[in-house]
Amino acid sequence: MNKTLTALAASLSLFAGSSYAGIITSEAVGIGFSDTNWDTTGALGSVPTAGGSLILDLFDTMGGTRTLEMVEIFGEAWARGTVTIENDGDTEIAYSGSVEGNVTMGSTVGSLSLSLNPIASQTIPLGLLASGSAPLVIDIGGGVGGTGVYDSDQVTYTGIDVTQFIGNGTFMLDAFALGFRTITTTGQASSSAALQAAADARVVYTYSENTVPEPATLALLGMGLIGIGAARRRKSA
């Protein structure tokens, strides 16, 4: 009996084929560094801007041979530039603060509303600036021409939600950017900032794939069934 069950189990296992996980990544064409603030139309007031949409591929099931299991979407942001602090009084001042490039990415895929908010920020530590000193220029993310400070945000979908990402086309994440600075000083002081932001996105699809039995596999299945029949005949005899 045990031999019969073992043969049957082996045959069914071969017939079912193997299932394994695969990963496909789609990378958007990123939005390069541009002065904040910007929106998807490429303009906000009189500020020169970039902005736009980050385009990502949907998941192709390859004729139904792939089953989508999980969707991970990553939004990325970089910020760089300079902050200038001036002492406008007759006494030494203290200063501190932070600067950030706040990128908002949004889209609708099927019935899902996607939202990512990577915020690339840098802290300005406490410092002192004497009266009569030249304006203090602080580089953010390496300054103009630098690589920028970085941040990312992520959203993950599983279960029934992943079906929204199945198709042969693309979907878009509309990107918006705002630049913020928070400078705290003592005494009489003024500050200004020249900030730029950049954005990118990617989607990672995790899927399973069922292999189709080959002729050799089917032959082994037949041999297994023949073995089961023979075992039963010997038992009856």
Side-chain angles (χ1 to χ4, degrees):
M1 179 64 176
N2 290 338
K3 291 182 179 179
T4 301
L5 290 177
T6 300
L8 178 59
S11 300
L12 291 176
S13 175
L14 289 169
F15 180 74
S18 60
S19 179
Y20 60 93
I23 292 177
I24 296 175
T25 299
S26 172
E27 299 269 0
V29 177
I31 300 171
F33 279 107
S34 182
D35 296 344
T36 56
N37 304 321
W38 39 268
D39 65 13
T40 57
T41 64
L44 184 63
S46 59
V47 180
T49 64
S53 296
L54 299 162
I55 302 174
L56 299 164
D57 292 328
L58 292 171
F59 179 78
D60 185 357
T61 63
M62 300 296 288
T65 61
R66 294 174 175 174
T67 299
L68 183 58
E69 306 288 352
M70 182 170 65
V71 179
E72 299 170 281
I73 304 174
F74 299 85
E76 301 175 296
W78 294 261
R80 71 183 187 188
T82 58
V83 172
T84 302
I85 301 174
E86 297 185 63
N87 186 339
D88 301 324
D90 298 327
T91 59
E92 182 180 66
I93 64 169
Y95 64 85
S96 63
S98 64
V99 177
E100 69 181 40
N102 186 340
V103 177
T104 300
M105 302 176 184
S107 180
T108 299
V109 177
S111 61
L112 299 176
S113 180
L114 310 185
S115 179
L116 296 97
N117 186 211
I119 301 174
S121 62
Q122 179 173 314
T123 299
I124 298 175
L126 179 65
L128 300 174
L129 185 60
S131 174
S133 298
L136 176 66
V137 179
I138 302 172
D139 285 338
I140 305 299
V144 177
T147 57
V149 290
Y150 171 82
D151 189 40
S152 66
D153 193 15
Q154 175 184 354
V155 60
T156 301
Y157 297 97
T158 57
I160 190 65
D161 287 340
V162 303
T163 59
Q164 311 286 331
F165 297 91
I166 294 175
N168 296 318
T170 59
F171 69 96
M172 294 186 298
L173 285 172
D174 291 329
F176 304 78
L178 294 172
F180 296 96
R181 73 177 187 276
T182 302
I183 307 297
T184 301
T185 62
T186 60
Q188 298 181 6
S190 58
S191 65
S192 61
L195 299 177
Q196 295 181 326
D200 203 351
R202 72 183 189 278
V203 58
V204 178
Y205 297 115
T206 300
Y207 66 92
S208 60
E209 184 172 351
N210 295 318
T211 59
V212 178
E214 298 180 357
T217 302
L218 295 176
L220 287 173
L221 172 62
M223 292 174 61
L225 294 175
I226 291 171
I228 292 171
R232 287 180 175 174
R233 285 193 297 273
R234 285 196 298 272
K235 184 176 180 181
S236 298

